Amino acid sequence: MPETTFLDSTELVLNMGPQHPSTHGVLRVILKLDGEKVMGTECVIGYLHRGVEKIGENRTYQQFAPYVDRMDYVAAVSNGLGYCLAVEKLLNIEAPPRAQVTRVILTELNRIASHLLWLGTHALDIGAITPVFYCFREREEVLKIFENYCGARLTTHAFRIGGLQYELYDGFEEQVKAFCDMFLPKVDEYEELLTNNRIWVARLKGVGILTGDECKEFGVTGPVLRAAGVKWDLRKAQPYSGYEQYDFEIPTGENGDTYDRYMVRMQEMRQAVRIIRQAVEKIPSGPIGKTPKVIKPATGEVYVSIEAPKGELGYFVVSDNSTQPYRVRVRPPSFVNLQALDRMVRGGLVADVVAIIGTLDIVLGEVDR
Amino acid sequence: MKKFLRTIFLVDLFQGLWVTFRNQNPKYIYTEQYPAERPKVAERYRGAPRLNINPDNGETLCIACNLCALACPETLIVVTSERNEQTRRKELTTFTYDLSRCMFCGLCEDACPVDALELTQDFELATYTREGQIWDRQMLEEGPTPTQYKC
């Protein structure tokens, strides 16, 4: 063993997680430390692996739909939309307009719910305890809309292949409009609490910088990419489910640090409200689509990706002309974004690791699948 | 200069404190006192399953077609039936529903052609034993009876 004096510093290996409140689940990060400085990290994932992709091979197309909700469980509606769009593309069918508009409203509401949960827990990690209560209060309103619509709050199973299962309930438009009116002042309230707060700014500004080029190298998508100044949003780049009809902007940041990512997500919530308001005004009448009783697509493969709250969520479905998919591969945004953790953390301080994991907005159900 | 003054007088912190102060009003209390105050769940809530019976004659509505068992992703429904020799119709004998594996996706109630199987608004499903989670036909028809607490 080499002799060390108190002047030499040796590498200290510290395990963070899997049972650590700020890793947002069961992520284990092995930190290599030099004093307070992080020299390197290694992520250990798989604690929440449930083999969702393998389950998909043993279920029919309709039966697999509830399982995808359980990957990104804070944005279950987006997951369901991605899967339904993939199978619909495989079958060469399209949901009727009424179903498409309803899908847009529910996914945007889910984006708000997901960002609210992110904001609350992220602020809690940094040390601001108040926002989490306010965020959950507003998130409750979104979950009530989901509960009224499809009967479940979190793992909604709201969409079916080929359209919707449930007709809109009476008072849906009013409830959504009331939520939009109530919600925008609340976003201002969160901004009042945090945006100028000196502790918040000091903890976030210049922490975990990821430039646009680095984002592209890692394949990072979603708010993390947009905060680096890259204007890339799949809702604009390759519109699905009728997103081209809506007028909205893609908020971007400049520096690609944690503070910019916070600002981008706050703006995204406002844009989501803008989309919902436009969509509620023009829900067309007509059929909501009928789920085919037996789904047996022709042999082929299809990749469909959507803009989930956390980034690009892709489904790659291979069919072998049977009622069960031959292979379902999911490209989860959290899993890909998590790779960038090492680059963002290296050279920083231990306390910033918590802020950076929070800002990546990972959901471990989706990372491990 | 303005920024300096804002820093000196802690404007940002008081701004945040003002938000929390505004929310102190007791009319903004959102906490539900759960066991005493029971939440009203939505009409479409997907909770405990129920096997409906015909209110006129007390017979089950189930026609033992087995479609729910086929639709279930977890294959947790087991339906057995026997053919009635006089009427030449299938009659339901047993119906078991393993709630411990159920994820309340609602595919079984969608598949039911006669609206016999339904997911209801009952959400208190805890039991003391694992076997208690496996519901037989009688339990499915009667539904759970959770303890009602009063404060």
Side-chain angles (χ1 to χ4, degrees):
Chain A
M1 195 176 157
E3 202 181 312
T4 52
T5 63
F6 67 95
L7 285 175
D8 293 332
S9 57
T10 46
E11 192 182 72
L12 174 75
V13 177
L14 183 73
N15 277 302
M16 186 173 161
Q19 290 166 0
H20 188 283
S22 67
T23 55
H24 296 230
V26 283
L27 173 69
R28 176 171 165 222
V29 187
I30 301 169
L31 298 169
K32 298 188 180 73
L33 302 176
D34 178 12
E36 277 279 292
K37 230 173 136 193
V38 181
M39 305 309 286
T41 59
E42 200 178 312
C43 285
V44 184
I45 59 169
Y47 291 95
L48 204 59
H49 178 69
R50 293 155 294 178
V52 173
E53 289 174 3
K54 189 69 191 169
I55 289 173
E57 293 168 22
N58 299 308
R59 300 285 185 274
T60 63
Y61 285 93
Q62 296 102 317
Q63 282 179 347
F64 186 53
Y67 290 91
V68 297
D69 289 354
R70 278 142 182 93
M71 283 189 291
D72 183 358
Y73 38 77
V74 293
V77 178
S78 297
N79 279 282
L81 177 67
Y83 176 68
C84 288
L85 285 176
V87 180
E88 279 165 17
K89 194 174 172 190
L90 201 59
L91 288 167
N92 257 325
I93 56 170
E94 205 174 50
R98 185 177 169 84
Q100 288 198 358
V101 175
T102 313
R103 283 176 173 188
V104 167
I105 296 172
L106 291 176
T107 23
E108 290 305 315
L109 282 172
N110 206 175
R111 188 182 310 277
I112 291 174
S114 169
H115 282 352
L116 279 175
L117 189 117
W118 162 81
L119 177 67
T121 50
H122 183 44
L124 200 62
D125 290 344
I126 305 292
I129 301 181
T130 317
V132 72
F133 302 115
Y134 296 170
C135 289
F136 270 67
R137 185 183 63 193
E138 271 74 74
R139 184 167 169 266
E140 186 67 26
E141 297 300 317
V142 180
L143 297 186
K144 267 182 195 154
I145 295 175
F146 289 159
E147 188 185 324
N148 283 335
Y149 172 68
C150 59
R153 289 155 52 87
L154 213 59
T155 47
T156 48
H157 195 206
F159 307 141
R160 301 293 197 276
I161 295 152
L164 308 169
Q165 171 68 30
Y166 307 102
E167 185 54 79
L168 293 180
Y169 60 93
D170 295 334
F172 174 79
E173 285 94 339
E174 289 76 36
Q175 199 177 357
V176 172
K177 275 181 197 162
F179 170 75
C180 291
D181 294 339
M182 180 275 291
F183 183 63
L184 277 184
K186 299 285 182 191
V187 183
D188 298 335
E189 209 167 75
Y190 309 143
E191 289 236 42
E192 245 175 88
L193 270 177
L194 296 172
T195 306
N196 293 323
N197 187 294
R198 62 185 64 188
I199 305 165
W200 183 253
V201 174
R203 284 297 305 273
L204 297 193
K205 272 254 164 85
V207 169
I209 295 175
L210 201 66
T211 61
D213 290 337
E214 281 174 332
C215 284
K216 286 176 195 163
E217 269 173 44
F218 281 115
V220 167
T221 45
V224 184
L225 175 68
R226 289 193 281 276
V230 183
K231 228 178 173 138
W232 176 255
D233 190 319
L234 286 172
R235 289 174 293 175
K236 288 268 193 205
Q238 30 173 297
Y240 53 89
S241 208
Y243 264 108
E244 64 276 4
Q245 309 162 25
Y246 307 106
D247 176 35
F248 64 99
E249 278 154 27
I250 309 172
T252 49
E254 282 165 13
N255 307 322
D257 60 358
T258 308
Y259 190 78
D260 275 6
R261 287 189 274 275
Y262 156 71
M263 292 308 280
V264 163
R265 288 202 177 95
M266 297 308 271
Q267 287 302 327
E268 261 180 30
M269 285 199 264
R270 295 200 173 95
Q271 295 298 330
V273 169
R274 202 168 144 193
I275 297 172
I276 294 166
R277 279 200 171 137
Q278 292 169 40
V280 168
E281 288 303 324
K282 57 173 177 189
I283 302 178
S285 53
I288 54 166
K290 203 165 174 286
T291 319
K293 278 270 180 287
V294 179
I295 294 181
K296 209 171 169 187
T299 312
E301 54 187 52
V302 71
Y303 177 78
V304 170
S305 56
I306 65 160
E307 186 73 30
K310 292 168 182 68
E312 179 187 338
L313 171 71
Y315 282 91
F316 178 65
V317 185
V318 185
S319 161
D320 61 347
N321 195 19
S322 69
T323 54
Q324 296 174 344
Y326 178 75
R327 176 85 169 91
V328 183
R329 157 82 185 144
V330 189
R331 183 224 187 263
S334 301
F335 176 64
V336 181
N337 290 0
L338 188 60
Q339 313 180 72
L341 180 72
D342 184 62
R343 177 75 62 92
M344 293 157 86
V345 162
R346 204 173 280 245
L349 300 175
V350 185
D352 293 338
V353 176
V354 170
I356 291 167
I357 293 175
T359 191
L360 278 173
D361 192 15
I362 49 165
V363 165
L364 266 296
E366 194 178 40
V367 173
D368 297 337
R369 298 193 295 292
Chain B
M1 185 64 193
K2 202 179 164 194
K3 201 183 166 196
F4 177 72
L5 281 178
R6 286 175 75 93
T7 320
I8 291 288
F9 290 109
L10 305 169
V11 173
D12 49 339
L13 293 183
F14 283 116
Q15 207 182 7
L17 280 175
W18 174 234
V19 174
T20 46
F21 183 74
R22 281 205 309 262
N23 281 281
Q24 291 299 312
N25 193 331
K27 79 176 179 198
Y28 295 134
I29 292 176
Y30 288 84
T31 314
E32 258 171 18
Q33 300 297 330
Y34 163 57
E37 188 187 313
R38 298 164 73 78
K40 196 179 176 304
V41 295
E43 208 175 301
R44 293 177 182 175
Y45 191 80
R46 299 201 300 254
R50 182 178 64 201
L51 203 55
N52 288 333
I53 50 173
N54 190 338
D56 298 332
N57 52 16
E59 279 173 22
T60 183
L61 284 174
C62 180
I63 53 169
C65 64
N66 209 31
L67 281 178
C68 49
L70 292 173
C72 181
E74 287 288 329
T75 54
L76 52 85
I77 303 174
V78 179
V79 183
T80 57
S81 60
E82 62 182 11
R83 193 168 288 279
N84 189 329
E85 285 305 324
Q86 282 155 7
T87 55
R88 308 290 297 159
R89 284 173 68 183
K90 260 165 106 180
E91 274 178 10
L92 182 70
T93 44
T94 62
F95 194 106
T96 19
Y97 194 108
D98 187 352
L99 262 185
S100 61
R101 277 154 58 207
C102 182
M103 56 179 171
F104 304 98
C105 62
L107 281 171
C108 52
E109 65 171 349
D110 296 347
C112 188
V114 289
D115 291 336
L117 189 63
E118 223 180 324
L119 296 182
T120 59
Q121 299 178 336
D122 297 316
F123 54 90
E124 287 146 316
L125 306 170
T127 49
Y128 285 103
T129 55
R130 270 171 191 244
E131 289 71 35
Q133 290 285 313
I134 301 168
W135 287 18
D136 56 4
R137 185 177 161 185
Q138 190 197 355
M139 184 71 185
L140 283 164
E141 282 171 356
E142 286 166 4
T145 46
T147 323
Q148 306 269 344
Y149 294 92
K150 288 188 190 72
C151 59

